[in-house]
Amino acid sequence: MVRNIVVLGGNSHPQMTENVCNFLGIPACNRILSKFSGGESRCEIKDSVRGKDVYIIQSGSGHVNDNLIDLCIMISACKIGSAKRVTAVVPLFPYSRQPDWPYNKAGAPLSKSSESAKKDYTFESVPPTPRPGGPRSAGLANGVNGLTEKLTKNPGAEANGDAAPKRSDTLSSVSSASNNNNNGVYPDLTQRSFTTHDYENQTNINGFRPKPGYKQWVAQAGTLVADLLTCAGADHIITMDLHDPQYQGFFDIPVDNLYGKFLLQNYIQTHIPDFREAVIVSPDAGGAKRATAIADSLNMDFALIHKERRPIKFTDHRNASMMLVGDIANRVCILVDDLADTANTITRAAKLLKREGATKVYALITHGVFSGDSIARVNASAIDKIVVTNSVPQEEHRRLCPKLEVLDISPVFAEAIRRVHHGESISALFQYA
Ligand SMILES: O=P(O)(O)OC[C@H]1O[C@@H](O)[C@H](O)[C@@H]1O
């Protein structure tokens, strides 16, 4: 049992709070965290936090914005309640994908001229990502094609195993998508959610198509969120696998960015037969460091998927193509990424790998956000097995996705809390993992 420590849970991940408390041998702090009828948050800390070392567990999942405000309010309540130190434990850090200026990515140029290079493309990516309220996908050949029809017309199909599982928000998104009459050409950004792929695809926004290279003005939300938490009174942040590790520099309080890598590595070693014959694959250039770190540690081969986004003509606004760099034919492939949100990135990557001769495709991801109809997309995809941590709740995803396996990271967070509390090294936590 650890003394003089308080663990307070938000509403985003009760299971994580319970697991961490069990590990530390303490009960969770008694509190009220609810809503006034007008929607404002109400927080009352029922146990004394005076002079205590407080850890508040809240992940960037579910109603992300509500949970973020709740976190700020809980931090402030503890500070005002004379806590000695307040640490925000945020397994998936919200807004950490928005730390800098948005980009109008042109992508790295191919080494050959576009026409000759085209012959060597291993995959042409055309369909936009289907999402709630968005236009209907032109269809992905990997099985998502016709998925919405299956889900709408055949709700009993799940039981028969002949269609991807349905879920209520998927069905509502399907019906709203079919009502969205914009000729299916461009998504209407005022009607549906935005994904990072919209930056990549240089999507038409309110009739305005940005010129390649032109950056639209967009809020720097990552900076604001860092400031909000600090301003609320956070003394310290513990998180895991920040999309951009440099995001730590946006804070002027200590940030411990734990690694999911060790759990993923352990999975590879213990669950993938002859894993040294397999190939670690990064689904995009941005994740190459993360994936090579695992490949190097396990002495495995590495391959990379490069997204070529440079438009050949100005009108060629959706000219993104994927190219595989590396030899994966007749090998097992292990995709490694920090996050699956729409699951567009990993499902497209898996399709490409199977086309290039991969015998089996695993996807190992730290944060399984799985928004919109992404679970249906994963079920219909070329991915054979997808492994995520429970940095956000996974019970519902697991129920809907037979390919999904979940690794429990609560012991890692509990041990990090114990070490921070006792002033012990965090890096030592990973030395023998
Ligand atoms: O394709 P989805 O799942 O929407 O987004 C996940 C990708 O977007 C990037 O920020 C992540 O690193 C990952 O590669």
Side-chain angles (χ1 to χ4, degrees):
M1 168 148 171
V2 189
R3 291 182 195 284
N4 222 24
I5 186 172
V6 169
V7 172
L8 173 60
N11 287 331
S12 62
H13 204 336
Q15 187 63 56
M16 173 77 73
T17 306
E18 192 184 321
N19 293 354
V20 167
C21 286
N22 287 342
F23 186 91
L24 296 172
I26 55 172
C29 179
N30 196 3
R31 51 71 169 166
I32 294 173
L33 184 59
S34 58
K35 291 255 184 293
F36 288 104
S37 55
E40 291 175 2
S41 299
R42 168 177 177 238
C43 176
E44 244 179 75
I45 312 289
K46 305 292 262 185
D47 294 333
S48 171
V49 293
R50 183 175 295 277
K52 298 276 173 59
D53 191 15
V54 179
Y55 295 82
I56 304 177
I57 300 177
Q58 182 80 306
S59 204
S61 53
H63 297 289
V64 182
N65 293 334
D66 274 355
N67 290 336
L68 178 61
I69 285 295
D70 284 0
L71 176 59
C72 291
I73 291 172
M74 285 188 287
I75 293 170
S76 171
C78 293
K79 272 313 240 210
I80 286 168
S82 300
K84 190 169 100 199
R85 178 174 63 174
V86 178
T87 299
V89 181
V90 191
L92 167 60
F93 203 96
Y95 290 89
S96 61
R97 284 204 289 173
Q98 300 184 40
D100 55 8
W101 289 103
Y103 42 86
N104 219 3
K105 274 192 177 171
L110 293 170
S111 56
K112 305 170 187 174
S113 76
S114 304
E115 275 315 304
S116 60
K118 226 175 169 183
K119 289 193 228 97
D120 299 335
Y121 287 171
T122 45
F123 180 66
E124 293 291 331
S125 77
V126 177
T129 307
R131 78 267 290 176
R136 296 178 59 154
S137 167
L140 297 171
N142 65 4
V144 172
N145 206 355
L147 180 66
T148 52
E149 280 81 357
K150 279 185 197 163
L151 287 168
T152 315
K153 287 181 191 158
N154 193 7
E158 183 186 345
N160 302 328
D162 55 359
K166 73 183 173 71
R167 67 187 200 188
S168 51
D169 59 348
T170 305
L171 287 176
S172 61
S173 77
V174 169
S175 56
S176 62
S178 50
N179 290 336
N180 184 358
N181 185 12
N182 64 1
N183 300 328
V185 180
Y186 297 119
D188 179 353
L189 294 185
T190 60
Q191 298 298 317
R192 56 87 178 153
S193 55
F194 194 82
T195 81
T196 48
H197 301 287
D198 292 312
Y199 287 134
E200 295 167 3
N201 294 334
Q202 300 181 20
T203 307
N204 179 321
I205 299 175
N206 296 336
F208 171 68
R209 185 182 303 152
K211 281 185 188 169
Y214 178 80
K215 292 182 181 182
Q216 295 147 32
W217 189 90
V218 177
Q220 294 173 276
T223 315
L224 175 65
V225 168
D227 290 346
L228 276 175
L229 292 176
T230 315
C231 204
D235 299 295
H236 189 162
I237 306 284
I238 302 177
T239 186
M240 181 174 266
D241 279 0
L242 284 171
H243 174 68
D244 188 350
Q246 284 89 330
Y247 185 50
Q248 290 167 84
F250 285 62
F251 293 84
D252 49 17
I253 54 174
V255 177
D256 282 311
N257 182 28
L258 310 179
Y259 302 124
K261 167 182 178 241
F262 297 98
L263 275 176
L264 303 183
Q265 259 174 222
N266 189 265
Y267 181 89
I268 294 172
Q269 289 172 298
T270 54
H271 288 79
I272 302 184
D274 299 325
F275 70 90
R276 287 229 159 76
E277 303 304 314
V279 186
I280 300 285
V281 184
S282 175
D284 60 26
K289 260 191 178 172
R290 195 176 295 115
T292 46
I294 293 183
D296 288 347
S297 300
L298 299 180
N299 201 12
M300 293 171 66
D301 285 349
F302 169 75
L304 171 77
I305 292 170
H306 170 67
K307 278 184 209 159
E308 163 67 27
R309 299 190 188 91
R310 174 170 291 203
I312 293 164
K313 293 178 287 204
F314 176 65
T315 49
D316 206 2
H317 64 283
R318 198 167 276 152
N319 189 37
S321 298
M322 294 174 92
M323 292 181 302
L324 177 67
V325 183
D327 184 12
I328 56 98
N330 304 315
R331 316 262 303 261
V332 170
C333 288
I334 305 169
L335 283 162
V336 171
D337 210 346
D338 63 324
L339 189 135
D341 181 358
T342 63
N344 198 341
T345 303
I346 45 162
T347 52
R348 286 167 66 201
K351 179 181 171 187
L352 169 61
L353 293 172
K354 282 274 171 83
R355 268 197 196 176
E356 292 299 306
T359 52
K360 192 164 185 182
V361 176
Y362 290 83
L364 269 55
I365 315 283
T366 306
H367 306 295
V369 175
F370 298 124
S371 62
D373 53 2
S374 58
I375 287 285
R377 186 176 297 110
V378 169
N379 280 333
S381 77
I383 295 171
D384 295 291
K385 183 105 205 151
I386 179 160
V387 181
V388 299
T389 77
N390 58 350
S391 64
V392 299
Q394 295 296 339
E395 292 81 10
E396 176 75 352
H397 301 152
R398 209 155 145 189
R399 195 175 62 76
L400 296 169
C401 182
K403 299 176 179 181
L404 183 68
E405 202 158 317
V406 180
L407 307 176
D408 184 15
I409 48 157
S410 358
V412 180
F413 277 96
E415 179 60 10
I417 289 171
R418 197 195 62 75
R419 282 172 182 267
V420 170
H421 178 65
H422 291 298
E424 295 172 16
S425 161
I426 287 283
S427 54
L429 176 60
F430 298 118
Q431 261 167 25
Y432 309 103

